[in-house]
Amino acid sequence: MKIAIFPGDGIGPEVTREAVRVLQAFDLPGMVLFEGDVGGAAYHRHGHPLPAETLEMARAADAVLFGAVGDPACDGLERHLRPEQAILGLRAELGLFANLRPATTFPGLEAMSALRPEIARAIDLLIVRELNGDVYFGDKGTRTLDDGRRQGWDMMAYAEDEVRRITHVAFRAARGRDRRLVSVDKANVLETSQLWRDVVNEVAADYPEVALEHMYVDNAAMQLVRDPGRFDVVVTGNLFGDILSDQASMCVGSIGLLASASLGERRTAHGTFGLYEPIHGSAPDIAGKGRANPMATILSAAMMLRHSFGREAEAVRIEAAVAKALAEGVRGADLGGDAGTEAVGDAVLERL
Amino acid sequence: MKIAIFPGDGIGPEVTREAVRVLQAFDLPGMVLFEGDVGGAAYHRHGHPLPAETLEMARAADAVLFGAVGDPACDGLERHLRPEQAILGLRAELGLFANLRPATTFPGLEAMSALRPEIARAIDLLIVRELNGDVYFGDKGTRTLDDGRRQGWDMMAYAEDEVRRITHVAFRAARGRDRRLVSVDKANVLETSQLWRDVVNEVAADYPEVALEHMYVDNAAMQLVRDPGRFDVVVTGNLFGDILSDQASMCVGSIGLLASASLGERRTAHGTFGLYEPIHGSAPDIAGKGRANPMATILSAAMMLRHSFGREAEAVRIEAAVAKALAEGVRGADLGGDAGTEAVGDAVLERL
Ligand SMILES: CC(C)[C@H](C(=O)O)[C@@H](O)C(=O)O
Ligand SMILES: CC(C)[C@H](C(=O)O)[C@@H](O)C(=O)O
C-alpha cells in the first residue's frame, strides 16, 4: 500500500493532513506514505508545477492523494508553468482516463443548494468524465492565416478505443447503482460526438441490464438544473465533463463535501491505480487559517481505499463517520458552522 | 419592412401565427410578410430542411421570424437532412454571428424555477453567443488512424476578427444595461480561448465604462446555478454559448417566455438584418392542439422591431403587454394555466 501524498497549494496541505490522519487510524498492513510537491508549491521550490521527482513518486505509488493546486502568486506565469498544469500533466503521464465524480446531497444539507430543497434532495448521481482525450490533449496553436489574421485553434478528437474504455467504466458503475446511464454528446454538430455515440451504442450490447439514453450537452445542462434527480450515471467527454461535473457539484450546494477519483488502467494488488482529490480548489483566501473543511479530502481517501486497495469495509466506515458527523451537527465554515479543519478531522476520527 | 416568416415544425406554425397577429396590429407602413418552409416541414415538401427558395426569401427580407424546427419523423435521416440543419444553415449562409438571449425571471413566476425563489428573482442577464465559428463550423470528419482505429475529429478555431465583432456587440449591449461584462472561455486549456481572451482585452480599451471579467466555462456553469443574479452580460463562443444559454434559460424556469435574436452584419434601413426565434423547441407532443404558449415568439417579434426596424416604441409596447397579461394572471399550459395559444395572443393584443 504505497500512497503518494501531494498536498499542493492553499488549503491543500491542511485538508490532506486530516485525510492522512483518518487513513492512519486503520493501521493497515504495509501502508507507506510519501509526500511530493505539486502546483505553485512545486513551482516555487523547483521551478516547475510538476517536477520529475513528483511524477516518479506517483509512478512508484499505488495511489495518489491530491490536495489542491492554484496559487495567485503564479498568475503571471506562462501557461505551462501554472499550478493547474500539474493536474493536467498527472492525468496525461499516468494515463488517468476515468474521472469519477459522485454528487449527492447530504441529508439535512438541502438548504445549502441554490436549487429548491425538494429538487436538491433528489440528487444522487455519478459523473464519469473521460480525462485523457478530447480538445484538451489534441494539437493546438496560434497561427497567422494567409490574409494576415491571427487564429487560435485546438483539435478535438476521440478514437474508438478511448471512448470504449470510458464507456465500460460507466456501464460497470451503472450496473452497481440504479442501472441508468445517460451519455452526453453534441452529435447533431460534432463528428467526434457521432463516433462517441456509435461506440457507446456498441458497448451497450454488453450491458443489457442498464438503460441507456443519449442526450445533447445543451439539454443535459438544462436537465441538471430542472430535474437533476433524474440522473443516475452520466458519461461524457473531457470538455463537456469539465462543465457538467462542476455544474452538478454546485447543484448539491456543499462542494466542500465532494470527492473524486481519477483512475488509470494500471492494476494494483487489489484494485486500480488512481489519483484522489476533493472537488474544491485551493481557496487561497482561507489558506493556513485552519478553517477549511477537510471532509471532501477525507471522502476522497475513502474512494482510494475502495478503488485502489479493495478496502470496501474501511471506505464505508469513513463515509459513515462523515455522514454521522454531519447528522450530529458538525459543520465546517463552508456549511455555516464553526468547526475548524482539525476539529472536523477529530469529529470524523471519533466516529470511525 | 420585408419580413420572412418561417413557421417550421411542431408548434412553430401556431406560435408564429400569434406573433404575426401582434405585428399586424401596429399597421406599420410598408410591412410585407412572406412565408417559407424550413425544417422537417421543408424536408417533407422539398426533400431538404433548408430549400434554396427559403434561403432566397431570407436574403430578400430585412428580418426573419422563425418558429421552431424538430420533427421526430426525421430522426432516421442523415445529419445534413435533419430539421436542425436548417437553423445552422441559416446562421452560416446569412452571416448571423451574434446570438442575443436575454434571460429574465418574470415577476410572479419565480416559483416556476428550479432555483430557490430569491435566487431566481435576481436573474436578469443577456447571453451574447458567437454563432458563425468555433468547433461548429470548422473542418470535421471521421478517419482511420495508421493503426486501424477509427477517430472522429472536429477543428475548433477562432480568428481575431471573429472574436472582435462579437465582443463589440457584447460591450455595446453592456453599455446599455448594467455595464458589466463577463467573457467566458477555457483559456487554461485552449489556444482558441487564449486568443479569445487577448482580443476581448484589446476591445475592452474602447469601453472603459464597462467592467470586464474573464471566467472559465466550468466556473461560469457553477456561478449560473449558485448566483445567476451576479451576471449582467455574458459573451462567449458558439459551443460554450450553446450550453450556458440553455442552462441560463432553465434557471429562469419559464423557457416558454424567452426570446432570441440572431444578428448579422447587413444593415437594413433602420437597423440590422436578423433572425428572431423563441428559445423553446418544436414540442411535437402538443403540436396542433392550440395549447402552445406563443409569448416567446411574440417577444421575439418585439426584438425584431427593435433590432431590425428601429421601432423601439412598438417593441416596448409588446413587452409591456406581455408583462401585463402575465401580471393579470394569463397563463399558458406551460405555466400551469389553461390559456390556449390563441387566447394568449388575444390577451396580448388587448393590452397593446
Ligand atoms: C484546472 C483545469 C485544467 C481542470 C480541467 O479543466 O480539467 C479543472 O477544471 C478540473 O476540472 O479538474
Ligand atoms: C439545433 C442545434 C444545432 C442548435 C445549436 O447547437 O446551436 C441549438 O441547440 C441552438 O442552440 O440553437
Side-chain angles (χ1 to χ4, degrees):
Chain A
M1 291 192 68
K2 285 177 288 185
I3 305 176
I5 312 284
F6 297 164
D9 304 323
I11 60 173
E14 297 158 67
V15 295
T16 44
R17 192 175 307 125
E18 299 309 313
V20 165
R21 285 172 67 210
V22 170
L23 283 172
Q24 287 173 327
F26 289 109
D27 248 329
L28 294 170
M31 189 170 85
V32 187
L33 306 176
F34 32 97
E35 209 174 294
D37 292 329
V38 286
Y43 174 77
H44 298 307
R45 247 169 270 164
H46 314 269
H48 197 281
L50 180 58
E53 306 83 293
T54 300
L55 197 54
E56 274 323 299
M57 211 179 267
R59 286 196 216 276
D62 299 310
V64 176
L65 184 67
F66 191 96
V69 289
D71 177 356
C74 295
D75 274 353
L77 296 176
E78 275 178 81
R79 187 153 72 206
H80 74 279
L81 292 176
R82 276 189 236 135
E84 315 88 79
Q85 300 303 310
I87 187 71
L88 291 175
L90 285 166
R91 290 175 191 166
E93 295 292 336
L94 304 173
L96 300 169
F97 71 95
N99 186 217
L100 309 187
R101 285 178 54 164
T104 312
T105 305
F106 284 79
L109 294 183
E110 298 83 1
M112 306 297 305
S113 170
L115 300 183
R116 282 191 271 127
E118 68 277 19
I119 296 181
R121 198 172 297 133
I123 305 177
D124 180 9
L125 59 86
L126 172 69
I127 299 209
V128 179
R129 169 188 175 194
E130 202 288 331
L131 270 189
N132 273 177
D134 205 346
V135 71
Y136 271 65
F137 293 102
D139 289 339
K140 53 189 67 215
T142 305
R143 61 189 164 205
T144 303
L145 300 175
D146 290 343
D147 53 17
R149 292 177 301 152
R150 278 176 309 144
Q151 186 195 52
W153 62 276
D154 297 84
M155 176 59 85
M156 173 183 282
Y158 266 120
E160 50 185 330
D161 57 319
E162 295 173 314
V163 181
R164 200 170 288 125
R165 64 181 183 172
I166 190 74
T167 304
H168 278 291
V169 170
F171 268 109
R172 283 197 298 263
R175 202 163 53 184
R177 294 177 43 112
D178 203 29
R179 305 186 171 196
R180 290 177 292 120
L181 178 63
V182 173
S183 170
V184 174
D185 64 33
K186 185 75 190 175
N188 49 353
V189 173
L190 304 176
E191 290 286 329
T192 307
S193 286
Q194 189 56 58
L195 181 112
W196 176 281
R197 197 174 270 223
D198 292 345
V199 174
V200 170
N201 283 332
E202 269 167 48
V203 172
D206 294 351
Y207 303 88
E209 66 278 40
V210 175
L212 170 67
E213 183 185 350
H214 296 282
M215 197 179 277
Y216 295 135
V217 63
D218 44 337
N219 189 24
M222 290 208 274
Q223 301 310 324
L224 272 176
V225 173
R226 200 183 67 85
D227 184 18
R230 81 190 288 294
F231 294 100
D232 178 27
V233 180
V234 175
V235 63
T236 190
N238 207 345
L239 184 63
F240 298 154
D242 180 45
I243 301 170
L244 295 182
S245 63
D246 273 4
Q247 189 190 335
S249 315
M250 195 46 83
C251 290
V252 168
S254 45
I255 199 170
L257 302 182
L258 298 183
S260 78
S262 300
L263 306 178
E265 277 185 333
R266 173 153 68 85
R267 301 283 307 163
T268 58
H270 300 283
T272 304
F273 175 77
L275 178 149
Y276 303 84
E277 58 171 326
I279 295 302
H280 63 68
S282 62
D285 49 318
I286 57 161
K289 301 197 176 141
R291 285 178 50 211
N293 184 348
M295 283 181 168
T297 316
I298 292 172
L299 291 168
S300 299
M303 289 188 90
M304 171 192 288
L305 291 178
R306 171 174 298 125
H307 293 285
S308 290
F309 300 111
R311 293 269 178 187
E312 179 66 22
E314 287 82 358
V316 168
R317 275 175 63 194
I318 296 176
E319 288 161 352
V322 170
K324 193 152 188 280
L326 284 170
E328 292 171 3
V330 176
R331 296 274 188 282
D334 57 319
L335 302 176
D338 55 11
T341 310
E342 203 179 325
V344 173
D346 288 342
V348 174
L349 280 166
E350 282 160 22
R351 291 168 178 83
L352 267 187
Chain B
M1 291 193 69
K2 282 178 288 182
I3 305 177
I5 312 286
F6 297 164
D9 303 324
I11 60 173
E14 298 159 66
V15 294
T16 44
R17 191 175 309 127
E18 299 309 313
V20 165
R21 284 172 67 208
V22 170
L23 282 172
Q24 287 174 328
F26 289 109
D27 247 328
L28 295 169
M31 187 170 87
V32 186
L33 307 177
F34 33 96
E35 209 175 294
D37 292 328
V38 285
Y43 174 79
H44 298 308
R45 246 168 270 164
H46 314 269
H48 197 279
L50 181 57
E53 304 84 292
T54 300
L55 196 53
E56 275 322 298
M57 212 178 267
R59 286 196 216 275
D62 299 310
V64 176
L65 184 68
F66 192 96
V69 289
D71 177 356
C74 294
D75 274 354
L77 297 176
E78 276 176 82
R79 186 153 72 206
H80 74 280
L81 292 176
R82 274 188 238 138
E84 314 89 79
Q85 300 304 309
I87 188 71
L88 292 175
L90 285 166
R91 291 174 189 164
E93 295 292 335
L94 303 173
L96 300 168
F97 71 95
N99 186 217
L100 309 188
R101 286 179 53 165
T104 312
T105 305
F106 284 79
L109 294 183
E110 298 84 1
M112 305 298 306
S113 171
L115 300 181
R116 282 191 272 126
E118 68 277 20
I119 295 180
R121 197 172 297 133
I123 306 177
D124 180 11
L125 59 85
L126 171 71
I127 299 208
V128 178
R129 169 187 175 196
E130 202 289 332
L131 271 189
N132 274 177
D134 204 345
V135 71
Y136 271 65
F137 293 102
D139 289 339
K140 52 190 69 217
T142 305
R143 61 189 163 205
T144 303
L145 300 175
D146 291 343
D147 54 17
R149 293 176 301 153
R150 278 177 309 145
Q151 185 194 52
W153 62 276
D154 298 84
M155 177 58 86
M156 174 184 281
Y158 267 120
E160 51 185 329
D161 57 319
E162 295 174 313
V163 181
R164 199 169 289 126
R165 63 180 183 173
I166 190 74
T167 304
H168 277 292
V169 169
F171 269 110
R172 283 197 298 262
R175 201 162 54 183
R177 295 179 41 113
D178 204 30
R179 305 188 171 196
R180 291 178 293 120
L181 177 62
V182 172
S183 170
V184 174
D185 64 34
K186 186 75 190 174
N188 49 353
V189 173
L190 304 176
E191 289 286 330
T192 308
S193 286
Q194 189 56 59
L195 180 111
W196 177 282
R197 199 174 268 222
D198 292 346
V199 173
V200 170
N201 283 331
E202 269 167 48
V203 172
D206 295 351
Y207 303 88
E209 67 277 39
V210 175
L212 169 67
E213 183 186 350
H214 296 282
M215 196 179 277
Y216 294 136
V217 63
D218 44 336
N219 189 24
M222 290 208 273
Q223 300 311 324
L224 271 176
V225 172
R226 201 183 67 84
D227 184 18
R230 81 191 287 296
F231 294 100
D232 177 28
V233 180
V234 175
V235 64
T236 189
N238 207 345
L239 184 62
F240 298 155
D242 180 44
I243 301 170
L244 296 182
S245 63
D246 273 4
Q247 189 190 337
S249 314
M250 194 47 82
C251 289
V252 168
S254 45
I255 199 170
L257 302 181
L258 298 183
S260 78
S262 299
L263 306 178
E265 277 186 331
R266 176 154 66 85
R267 301 282 306 162
T268 58
H270 300 283
T272 305
F273 175 77
L275 179 150
Y276 302 85
E277 57 171 327
I279 295 302
H280 63 68
S282 62
D285 49 319
I286 58 161
K289 299 194 177 142
R291 285 179 49 210
N293 184 348
M295 281 180 169
T297 316
I298 292 171
L299 291 169
S300 298
M303 289 188 90
M304 171 193 289
L305 291 177
R306 170 174 297 124
H307 293 285
S308 290
F309 300 112
R311 293 269 178 186
E312 180 66 23
E314 287 82 356
V316 168
R317 276 175 63 194
I318 295 176
E319 288 161 352
V322 169
K324 193 151 188 278
L326 285 170
E328 292 172 3
V330 176
R331 296 275 188 281
D334 57 319
L335 303 177
D338 55 10
T341 310
E342 202 179 326
V344 173
D346 288 342
V348 174
L349 281 167
E350 281 159 22
R351 291 167 177 82
L352 267 187

